[in-house]
Coordinates of all heavy atoms in Angstrom, one line a residue:
A1 N 41.8 -86.9 44.8 CA 40.5 -87.5 45.5 C 40.5 -86.8 46.9 O 39.4 -86.5 47.5 CB 40.7 -89.0 45.6
A2 N 41.7 -86.7 47.6 CA 41.6 -86.1 49.0 C 41.1 -84.6 48.9 O 40.2 -84.2 49.7 CB 43.0 -86.1 49.6
G3 N 41.5 -83.9 47.8 CA 41.0 -82.6 47.6 C 39.6 -82.5 47.4 O 38.8 -81.6 47.8
S4 N 39.1 -83.6 46.7 CA 37.6 -83.6 46.3 C 36.8 -83.8 47.6 O 35.7 -83.3 47.8 CB 37.4 -84.8 45.4 OG 38.2 -84.7 44.1
V5 N 37.4 -84.6 48.5 CA 36.6 -84.8 49.7 C 36.6 -83.5 50.5 O 35.5 -83.1 51.1 CB 37.4 -86.0 50.6 CG1 36.8 -86.0 52.0 CG2 37.3 -87.3 49.9
L6 N 37.6 -82.8 50.6 CA 37.7 -81.5 51.3 C 36.8 -80.4 50.7 O 36.0 -79.8 51.4 CB 39.2 -80.9 51.3 CG 40.2 -81.6 52.2 CD1 41.6 -81.1 52.0 CD2 39.7 -81.7 53.6
T7 N 36.6 -80.4 49.4 CA 35.7 -79.4 48.8 C 34.4 -79.8 49.0 O 33.5 -78.9 49.1 CB 36.2 -79.2 47.3 OG1 36.0 -80.5 46.6 CG2 37.5 -78.6 47.0
T8 N 34.1 -81.1 48.9 CA 32.7 -81.6 49.2 C 32.3 -81.3 50.6 O 31.1 -80.9 50.7 CB 32.6 -83.1 49.0 OG1 33.1 -83.4 47.5 CG2 31.3 -83.6 49.1
L9 N 33.2 -81.5 51.6 CA 32.8 -81.1 52.9 C 32.6 -79.6 53.1 O 31.6 -79.1 53.7 CB 33.9 -81.4 53.9 CG 34.1 -83.0 54.1 CD1 35.4 -83.2 55.0 CD2 32.8 -83.6 54.8
S10 N 33.3 -78.8 52.3 CA 33.2 -77.3 52.3 C 31.8 -77.0 51.7 O 31.0 -76.0 52.1 CB 34.3 -76.6 51.5 OG 35.5 -76.7 52.1
A11 N 31.4 -77.7 50.7 CA 30.1 -77.5 50.0 C 29.0 -77.8 50.8 O 27.9 -77.1 50.8 CB 30.1 -78.2 48.6
L12 N 29.1 -78.9 51.7 CA 28.1 -79.1 52.6 C 28.0 -78.2 53.7 O 26.8 -77.9 54.1 CB 28.4 -80.6 53.2 CG 28.3 -81.8 52.1 CD1 28.8 -83.1 52.7 CD2 26.7 -81.9 51.7
L13 N 29.1 -77.7 54.2 CA 29.1 -76.8 55.3 C 28.6 -75.4 54.8 O 28.0 -74.6 55.7 CB 30.5 -76.7 56.0 CG 30.8 -78.0 56.7 CD1 32.3 -77.9 57.2 CD2 29.8 -78.3 57.8
D14 N 29.2 -74.9 53.7 CA 28.9 -73.6 53.2 C 28.5 -73.7 51.7 O 29.3 -73.3 50.9 CB 30.2 -72.7 53.4 CG 29.9 -71.2 53.0 OD1 28.7 -70.9 53.0 OD2 30.8 -70.4 52.9
P15 N 27.3 -74.1 51.5 CA 26.9 -74.3 50.1 C 26.9 -73.1 49.2 O 26.6 -72.0 49.8 CB 25.5 -74.9 50.1 CG 25.3 -75.3 51.6 CD 26.2 -74.3 52.4
S16 N 27.3 -73.3 48.0 CA 27.4 -72.3 47.0 C 27.6 -73.0 45.6 O 28.1 -74.1 45.5 CB 28.6 -71.2 47.2 OG 29.8 -71.8 46.9
V17 N 27.1 -72.3 44.6 CA 27.2 -72.9 43.2 C 28.7 -73.1 42.9 O 29.1 -74.1 42.2 CB 26.5 -71.9 42.1 CG1 26.8 -72.4 40.7 CG2 25.0 -71.8 42.5
F18 N 29.6 -72.1 43.3 CA 31.0 -72.3 42.9 C 31.5 -73.5 43.5 O 32.3 -74.2 43.0 CB 31.6 -71.0 43.4 CG 33.1 -71.1 43.2 CD1 33.7 -71.0 41.9 CD2 34.0 -71.1 44.3 CE1 35.2 -71.2 41.9 CE2 35.3 -71.2 44.2 CZ 36.0 -71.3 43.0
T19 N 31.3 -73.5 44.8 CA 31.9 -74.6 45.7 C 31.5 -76.0 45.1 O 32.2 -77.0 44.9 CB 31.5 -74.6 47.1 OG1 31.9 -73.3 47.6 CG2 32.3 -75.5 48.0
W20 N 30.1 -76.1 44.8 CA 29.6 -77.5 44.3 C 30.1 -77.8 43.0 O 30.4 -78.9 42.6 CB 28.1 -77.4 44.4 CG 27.6 -77.8 45.7 CD1 26.7 -77.1 46.5 CD2 27.6 -79.0 46.2 NE1 26.4 -77.7 47.7 CE2 26.9 -79.1 47.5 CE3 28.3 -80.2 46.0 CZ2 26.7 -80.1 48.4 CZ3 28.0 -81.4 46.9 CH2 27.4 -81.3 48.1
T21 N 30.3 -76.7 42.1 CA 30.8 -76.9 40.8 C 32.3 -77.5 40.8 O 32.6 -78.4 40.2 CB 30.9 -75.7 40.0 OG1 29.5 -75.1 39.9 CG2 31.5 -75.8 38.6
I22 N 33.1 -76.8 41.7 CA 34.5 -77.3 41.8 C 34.5 -78.7 42.3 O 35.2 -79.6 41.9 CB 35.3 -76.3 42.7 CG1 35.4 -74.9 42.1 CG2 36.6 -76.8 43.0 CD1 36.1 -74.8 40.9
S23 N 33.7 -79.0 43.4 CA 33.6 -80.3 43.9 C 33.3 -81.4 42.8 O 33.9 -82.4 42.8 CB 32.7 -80.4 45.1 OG 33.0 -79.6 46.1
V24 N 32.3 -81.1 42.1 CA 31.8 -82.2 41.2 C 32.8 -82.3 40.1 O 33.1 -83.5 39.7 CB 30.4 -81.7 40.5 CG1 30.1 -82.4 39.3 CG2 29.3 -81.7 41.5
W25 N 33.4 -81.4 39.7 CA 34.5 -81.5 38.5 C 35.7 -82.2 39.1 O 36.5 -82.8 38.4 CB 34.7 -80.2 37.9 CG 33.6 -79.8 36.8 CD1 32.6 -79.0 37.0 CD2 33.5 -80.5 35.6 NE1 31.7 -79.1 35.9 CE2 32.3 -80.0 35.0 CE3 34.2 -81.3 34.8 CZ2 32.0 -80.3 33.7 CZ3 33.8 -81.8 33.5 CH2 32.7 -81.2 32.9
L26 N 36.0 -81.9 40.3 CA 37.2 -82.6 41.0 C 36.9 -84.1 41.0 O 37.8 -84.9 40.7 CB 37.6 -82.1 42.3 CG 38.2 -80.8 42.3 CD1 38.5 -80.3 43.8 CD2 39.6 -80.7 41.6
W27 N 35.7 -84.5 41.5 CA 35.3 -86.0 41.4 C 35.3 -86.5 40.1 O 35.8 -87.7 39.8 CB 34.0 -86.2 42.1 CG 34.0 -86.1 43.6 CD1 33.4 -85.2 44.4 CD2 34.7 -87.0 44.4 NE1 33.7 -85.5 45.8 CE2 34.5 -86.7 45.8 CE3 35.5 -88.2 44.3 CZ2 34.9 -87.4 46.8 CZ3 36.0 -88.9 45.3 CH2 35.7 -88.4 46.6
L28 N 34.9 -85.7 39.1 CA 34.8 -86.2 37.7 C 36.4 -86.3 37.2 O 36.5 -87.2 36.4 CB 34.1 -85.1 36.7 CG 32.7 -85.2 36.9 CD1 32.0 -84.1 36.0 CD2 32.0 -86.5 36.6
T29 N 37.3 -85.5 37.6 CA 38.6 -85.7 37.3 C 39.2 -86.9 37.6 O 39.8 -87.7 36.9 CB 39.4 -84.5 37.9 OG1 39.1 -83.2 37.4 CG2 41.0 -84.7 37.5
V30 N 38.9 -87.5 39.0 CA 39.3 -88.7 39.4 C 38.6 -89.8 38.7 O 39.3 -90.8 38.3 CB 38.9 -88.9 41.0 CG1 39.4 -90.2 41.4 CG2 39.6 -87.7 41.7
I31 N 37.3 -89.8 38.4 CA 36.5 -90.7 37.8 C 37.1 -91.0 36.2 O 37.2 -91.9 35.7 CB 35.1 -90.5 37.7 CG1 34.6 -90.6 39.2 CG2 34.3 -91.4 36.8 CD1 33.1 -90.2 39.3
F32 N 37.3 -89.8 35.7 CA 37.9 -89.9 34.1 C 39.3 -90.5 34.2 O 39.5 -91.3 33.3 CB 37.9 -88.4 33.6 CG 36.5 -87.8 33.4 CD1 36.4 -86.3 33.1 CD2 35.5 -88.5 33.4 CE1 35.2 -85.8 33.0 CE2 34.2 -88.1 33.0 CZ 34.0 -86.6 32.9
A33 N 40.1 -90.3 35.3 CA 41.3 -90.9 35.4 C 41.2 -92.4 35.4 O 42.0 -93.1 34.8 CB 42.2 -90.3 36.3
N34 N 40.4 -92.7 36.4 CA 40.1 -94.3 36.5 C 39.5 -94.9 35.3 O 39.7 -96.0 35.0 CB 39.1 -94.4 37.8 CG 39.9 -94.1 38.9 OD1 41.0 -94.1 39.2 ND2 39.0 -93.7 40.1
L35 N 38.6 -94.0 34.6 CA 37.9 -94.6 33.4 C 39.0 -95.0 32.4 O 38.8 -95.9 31.6 CB 37.0 -93.6 32.9 CG 36.1 -94.0 31.8 CD1 35.2 -95.2 32.2 CD2 35.1 -92.8 31.3
A36 N 40.1 -94.0 32.3 CA 41.1 -94.3 31.2 C 41.8 -95.7 31.5 O 42.0 -96.4 30.5 CB 42.2 -93.1 31.2
E37 N 42.0 -96.0 32.7 CA 42.5 -97.2 33.1 C 41.7 -98.4 32.8 O 41.9 -99.3 32.4 CB 43.2 -97.3 34.5 CG 43.9 -98.5 34.9 CD 44.4 -98.3 36.4 OE1 44.2 -97.3 36.9 OE2 45.3 -99.2 36.7
A38 N 40.3 -98.1 33.3 CA 39.4 -99.2 33.2 C 39.1 -99.5 31.8 O 38.9 -100.8 31.4 CB 38.1 -98.7 33.9
V39 N 39.0 -98.6 30.8 CA 38.9 -98.8 29.4 C 40.1 -99.6 28.9 O 39.8 -100.6 28.2 CB 38.7 -97.5 28.7 CG1 38.7 -97.7 27.2 CG2 37.3 -96.8 29.0

């Protein structure tokens, strides 16, 4: 999650498809992990 915050800040400061792709999927990784526990 901390890494997701850092990549999101990088995407905001220096936008690129690659940076945003990595940011989104890192957040999805955290959400999917939480989803396993929530289910």
